[in-house]
Amino acid sequence: MALDIAAFGESQGIFNLVERLDLTCGALPSDQYSQVIDQGAPEPFLELYSRMAEHRFAFAVTELLKLNPGYINALKNYCNDQGKKLKAAKISTVEAAYELINTFVMDGMPWADVKNVTTVESNKIIWEKLQETHQDAWQKVDGDIEIYYQLQTCFIQGLLDGSGIIFRNQENKLFSLSTGAQEA
């Protein structure tokens, strides 16, 4: 996603944004994940890879918004469209929606205890963040963490498009999924 955003930024007049993205944040391997990872020690690679990807996203978004804050709507639409493209199948339960979100939205490392599910019902799941996992990447680029959460919400709404399941973010700390008939 960061590379697409940087390429768009270049088309709008940000000189060498793709090159600056790689120089500032590091270039991601172009091979399949399974071909570049050390199979004997996947955790360090996953942590490095995910931090680099998040830093790249924060950098590209922040640079684009420095050029024109009005691009926020284009970014929201882009993230929503990316979520729609990744939607694998019809989602019919909040449990399936929660698993889908966890598949595509990394919130800390899988082995880290960064969230706590507080409510699980047939039509509702509520979870809270125990620690902020995205702030560092956005601080490094003088970006606004609120932008990240706006774009994350758009992405998740795209993932859930047509499912009748509603995602809510309350102050970037409490999150919920519910069916349309149930208020979360």
Side-chain angles (χ1 to χ4, degrees):
M1 290 175 71
L3 188 57
D4 288 345
I5 294 167
F8 175 75
E10 281 190 359
S11 76
Q12 300 303 304
I14 303 176
F15 183 70
N16 286 341
L17 185 55
V18 171
E19 183 179 336
R20 288 183 24 234
L21 179 67
D22 287 344
L23 291 172
T24 303
C25 306
L28 294 174
S30 59
D31 293 331
Q32 290 291 327
Y33 177 78
S34 62
Q35 293 175 344
V36 296
I37 189 171
D38 176 357
Q39 297 293 333
E43 292 87 1
F45 180 82
L46 179 60
E47 190 164 0
L48 174 68
Y49 187 89
S50 63
R51 284 186 185 184
M52 187 182 297
E54 183 156 28
H55 187 206
R56 289 170 59 87
F57 182 73
F59 180 81
V61 166
T62 300
E63 290 299 305
L64 185 62
L65 293 177
K66 283 180 188 175
L67 175 68
N68 182 344
Y71 283 135
I72 187 64
N73 290 328
L75 287 166
K76 287 178 177 181
N77 289 334
Y78 171 77
C79 289
N80 186 271
D81 289 344
Q82 292 302 304
K84 287 178 183 177
K85 287 179 185 177
L86 292 174
K87 184 173 59 173
K90 178 77 173 137
I91 305 155
S92 59
T93 66
V94 291
E95 292 86 1
Y98 182 75
E99 291 302 318
L100 186 67
I101 291 167
N102 284 330
T103 298
F104 290 110
V105 179
M106 186 164 237
D107 203 1
M109 294 299 106
W111 54 87
D113 194 19
V114 298
K115 61 185 165 185
N116 179 41
V117 176
T118 59
T119 304
V120 178
E121 297 174 5
S122 63
N123 56 3
K124 175 174 47 175
I125 292 179
I126 300 172
W127 67 98
E128 63 182 333
K129 284 188 77 153
L130 301 175
Q131 62 182 340
E132 175 54 62
T133 56
H134 306 286
Q135 184 70 39
D136 288 348
W138 290 83
Q139 281 181 334
K140 284 181 184 176
V141 299
D142 293 325
D144 183 354
I145 189 69
E146 293 299 320
I147 298 295
Y148 168 78
Y149 283 106
Q150 290 174 29
L151 298 177
Q152 179 195 60
T153 295
C154 291
F155 177 80
I156 291 171
Q157 288 170 339
L159 279 175
L160 301 177
D161 184 55
S163 70
I165 296 172
I166 299 166
F167 170 77
R168 289 188 179 83
N169 170 348
Q170 299 170 3
E171 299 179 14
N172 307 333
K173 296 195 183 311
L174 189 65
F175 303 86
S176 64
L177 293 167
S178 63
T179 60
Q182 172 69 36
E183 282 296 314

